[in-house]
Structures are given as C-alpha cells and as structure tokens.
Amino acid sequence: MLEKLKRLPDDPILGLAAACRADPNPDKVDLTVGIYMDEQGICPVFEAVQQAQKALAAEEITKAYIPPVGDALFNSGMQQLVLGTNSQALADGRVASVQTPGGCGALRIGAEIIQAAAAGTRVWVSDPTWPVHIPLLGSVGLSFETYRYYDPATHGVNFDAMVEDLKAAGRGEIVLMHGCCHNPCGADLSLSQWEVIANMAEQQGFIPFVDIAYQGLGDGLEQDAAGLRTLVARLPEVLVAASCSKNLGLYRERTGAIIFLCQDKTNADALVSQALVAARRVYSMPPAHGGLLAGRVLADEKLNASWRSELMTMCQRINGLRTDLATRLNKTGKGDFSFIEREKGMFSFLGLSPEQALRLRTEFGVYMLDSSRINVAGVNASNIDYLVESVGRVL
Ligand code: LMR
C-alpha cells in the first residue's frame, strides 16, 4: 500500500534553504528562511539564554515529563510579554495559556479549539499570508476565505480593500492577523487601523486570531504588541499564537504559547482543558527545554534586561539594513525600493517575478523565495554589494 505514495515537492521555504546550503557557490547569499543572522552570518544564541542554559544544566536532575500545560514561569512570562504587565485582562483573570511546540503548535491548538467550538468555522486569512497557515489550521477541518491585504503597486497595505472584504466576516468567524512584521510582506497596520479592525470585530462579532511570531523585531517589544493589545482591551475573545523562535532565538527548541483571552475565568479554565485534550491527541506535552529557558529569562530581572537589550540591538540592525538596502537598490536606477525602509521585521517582497527569483538563484547563488520574499536579516556587510549588483542584473 505505501508504495503508492509519490514523492512530494520540497517545502517552498525550508526546501530552498536546503538547496542554498548544498550550493557550492562561495558567493551564495541565503535570504530564504526567517532566521536572524548576524554580521558573520550566524544565528546567535542570546547571552541571557546561554546563562539560563548553564544554570539549568547545573540544576536539572530529571527528564521526566513536564505538565501538558507547560512550565508555569513560562506561561506567566509569555502572557505578560504579549499582553503587557499592566494588562487589565490579565488582572481580571480572563487570560489563560498553554505552552506549545513553537508558534506552529500554538496555531494548531488554536485551530483545534475553534473547531471544537464550531466545526468548519470560516477563517479569514490575509492575501498573502505565511504559506503554512492554511495547512496548519486547515488540517483540523476549518475553512478559509481571504481578505485583500498587500498591494504590490504601492508596496503597502490596501487597507480600504481589507476593510471592504472583512465586512463579510460574520459573528463567530475568525480573522487571522499578523501581530507585527507581516510574513511575507513586511507591511503592517498602523495603530489607527488596528482600532478600525477592533471596531469592526466589536460590531460584527468576528474573533481575531493574532499570530505574533516576530514581536520585538519591528520597532520593539512593546510597540510591536500595541495593535494586538488594542484588540485585547476592547474585545471579549481573542486568540494569540506567540513564538519564542525569533525573539528569544529558540528556533530549534520549538517553544511557543497559545494565549486565550476569554469572557471570564471559568471560560479560560474550560479552554485550557480543551487545549490539553487536543494536545494529548496530537503530541501529548510540549518539549521542556525551550520553555524552561524562556521562563527563566523572562522571570529573572537581570537576564530579562540583558535579553531585551540584545533583542533591541538586533531590531535596530535589521532597520539599519533596511535603510542601507533601499538606498543601494535605489542607486542602481532600476526602480524605487524605498518601501523596504518603511516595512517592518525580517521580510519584504523585492517585487521580482518568479523567473527573476529563479535566475538570481541559478546564475548568482542568491536565494530568495519565488515570491521574491527576502529575509532582510540575512543581509550583511560582506554580501550586500553582491546582492544589490545581482538584483540589478536581473532587473
Ligand atoms: C519563515 O517564514 O521563513 C519562518 O516562519 C520559518 C518557517 O518555518 O517557515
């Protein structure tokens, strides 16, 4: 029976990263998968995480299972990080969370909860969105509709079109939003636009599900969560998928959290119980290591301060690279790339055709997604000239 199965195409993101790794071209540039890389092209381990890891290694006496809900320090730390330490919802006991295997696990558990509440619920996703969103949420049986979001002509959000489309999102339907640093386009909503969405959700009764995988890499930890916090302050129900992959650099440790904002504490407890049953069905309990590290970093004053300052340096470096790249690409005279500077986080579309992206790969060893999404954090002083020259050549 199994022999009937055909080989599937490689993942459009991870497959390209693997192809780049295998490319012997000494000038190759990897702008594929969304990981932060420093000037040396290395994805570093935060100093605070290294210290937490040393302490943990010295103290750890068991590898017995952790509770399915995850580490308590981690859960409270994540709730405060995402919602803010003075969140009214937190004070009211309307928030609950469960540690998950990465932000993906959070999305999946969120989907399970939605499916349990109303099978086949319609989820509105931005056009475009991270390509894994639909298979991840869809695998439990939810259905999808897209709302217009990115306008390639202006390289910005087409907010009027987004609002127009979301007028059809009804009571109990889900609107999946990127909390900050939109993946793949880097174009984010302004705070007043978040207010408009909050008004619509209030009036129409749709429920936002916010994926905030890049908090801290746009403008800063607090600024990047401001839109989401606007929703949380106004609405009875919001789901949040948070990840420690990027902002704590815990990529391979698969560390994330699903956070529920509920009507009251009884409902919050009910959702946790539902999440635990769903988790038991899929993976039983989350991996311990990343949650224990993140929990320590978030709870310890010194480690927390060190982590925040290192993260801010990364954020500023990405923004500096955005300015640099836009300036240099503009100098090629092949177009106006100033939008790169206006966008946020790791990603921007360069606006190239799939053929041009393919030429960049095969002729120059410059790897970006077929959509011309680049990971800005993969640019550095040693590859920027070559990158700009190569892009200029295919344009
Ligand atoms: C990306 O979009 O490159 C990241 O979110 C990593 C991934 O898993 O796709």
Side-chain angles (χ1 to χ4, degrees):
M1 171 192 80
L2 301 181
E3 85 283 352
K4 283 188 279 191
L5 292 177
K6 301 251 176 346
R7 189 191 187 287
L8 295 175
D10 291 332
D11 181 84
I13 299 176
L14 304 179
L16 274 182
C20 183
R21 272 197 301 278
D23 188 338
N25 183 345
D27 296 325
K28 68 186 174 185
V29 181
D30 184 357
L31 307 178
T32 57
V33 65
I35 51 177
Y36 177 86
M37 285 184 276
D38 63 16
E39 271 306 304
Q40 282 66 48
I42 292 175
C43 175
V45 182
F46 280 83
E47 179 59 36
V49 169
Q50 291 185 36
Q51 285 186 28
Q53 193 152 254
K54 275 194 200 121
L56 186 63
E59 288 165 27
E60 197 168 57
I61 51 161
T62 182
K63 291 287 184 192
Y65 298 121
I66 60 166
V69 71
D71 179 59
L73 263 191
F74 172 79
N75 275 316
S76 61
M78 288 302 285
Q79 291 173 15
Q80 291 183 16
L81 177 68
V82 172
L83 303 181
T85 39
N86 46 21
S87 152
Q88 188 56 44
L90 270 180
D92 294 343
R94 292 172 52 215
V95 176
S97 64
V98 172
Q99 183 183 329
T100 54
C104 293
L107 288 162
R108 171 65 191 256
I109 294 298
E112 298 263 0
I113 296 281
I114 297 161
Q115 176 74 1
T121 292
R122 189 150 75 148
V123 180
W124 292 77
V125 295
S126 63
D127 178 18
T129 195
W130 182 48
V132 193
H133 273 147
I134 293 178
L136 203 46
L137 303 179
S139 57
V140 307
L142 301 175
S143 60
F144 295 92
E145 189 68 61
T146 52
Y147 59 87
R148 284 171 289 167
Y149 185 83
Y150 180 71
D151 181 355
T154 62
H155 296 280
V157 178
N158 185 349
F159 192 63
D160 290 344
M162 175 178 178
V163 167
E164 195 50 42
D165 291 350
L166 287 182
K167 281 184 185 155
R171 186 158 297 279
E173 294 188 346
I174 303 292
V175 175
L176 184 70
M177 302 186 66
H178 297 233
C180 60
C181 310
H182 190 282
N183 180 5
C185 71
D188 283 346
L189 298 185
S190 66
L191 215 45
S192 54
Q193 291 171 333
W194 280 97
E195 293 276 1
V196 173
I197 301 299
N199 286 339
M200 292 176 75
E202 223 164 31
Q203 278 156 23
Q204 295 167 222
F206 63 74
I207 301 162
F209 189 174
V210 183
D211 181 351
I212 186 152
Y214 293 84
Q215 186 185 356
L217 291 159
D219 286 316
L221 284 168
E222 306 307 317
Q223 298 90 321
D224 291 352
L228 157 63
R229 290 176 191 173
T230 302
L231 301 181
V232 168
R234 300 263 306 273
L235 302 174
E237 295 181 336
V238 178
L239 294 160
V240 184
S243 166
C244 302
S245 294
K246 331 281 169 168
N247 59 12
L248 273 137
L250 290 173
Y251 306 86
R252 64 173 63 173
E253 303 296 355
R254 310 311 300 136
T255 312
I258 177 79
I259 302 175
F260 310 111
L261 171 82
C262 312
Q263 315 249 7
D264 55 30
K265 174 143 183 20
T266 313
N267 190 224
D269 290 344
L271 289 203
V272 169
S273 77
Q274 292 274 343
L276 298 188
V277 169
R280 187 65 165 146
R281 216 164 36 229
V282 189
Y283 56 79
S284 282
M285 71 278 304
H289 194 63
L292 292 173
L293 297 178
R296 273 174 192 245
V297 171
L298 294 172
D300 181 288
E301 213 177 301
K302 265 195 168 152
L303 294 182
N304 190 308
S306 149
W307 162 65
R308 278 175 188 258
S309 120
E310 201 175 337
L311 179 62
M312 187 37 94
T313 309
M314 287 181 178
C315 176
Q316 286 165 347
R317 180 168 165 270
I318 292 177
N319 289 330
L321 286 168
R322 286 188 167 280
T323 307
D324 210 10
L325 190 58
T327 312
R328 289 178 196 236
L329 284 169
N330 282 348
K331 280 198 190 131
T332 62
K334 298 278 175 77
D336 181 4
F337 290 89
S338 313
F339 63 87
I340 296 177
E341 207 179 344
R342 293 193 296 273
E343 292 169 352
K344 297 287 170 201
M346 289 194 188
F347 308 116
S348 276
F349 285 132
L350 284 188
L352 309 181
S353 66
E355 294 72 31
Q356 287 168 325
L358 180 65
R359 257 193 82 197
L360 277 168
R361 259 195 324 268
T362 48
E363 287 178 38
F364 301 93
V366 173
Y367 286 74
M368 61 187 63
L369 306 194
D370 288 343
S371 58
S372 83
R373 186 197 83 169
I374 58 162
N375 171 19
V376 179
V379 179
N380 59 46
S382 352
N383 65 23
I384 192 164
D385 286 334
Y386 180 68
L387 167 65
V388 169
E389 189 196 312
S390 311
V391 170
R393 297 266 292 276
V394 303
L395 276 170

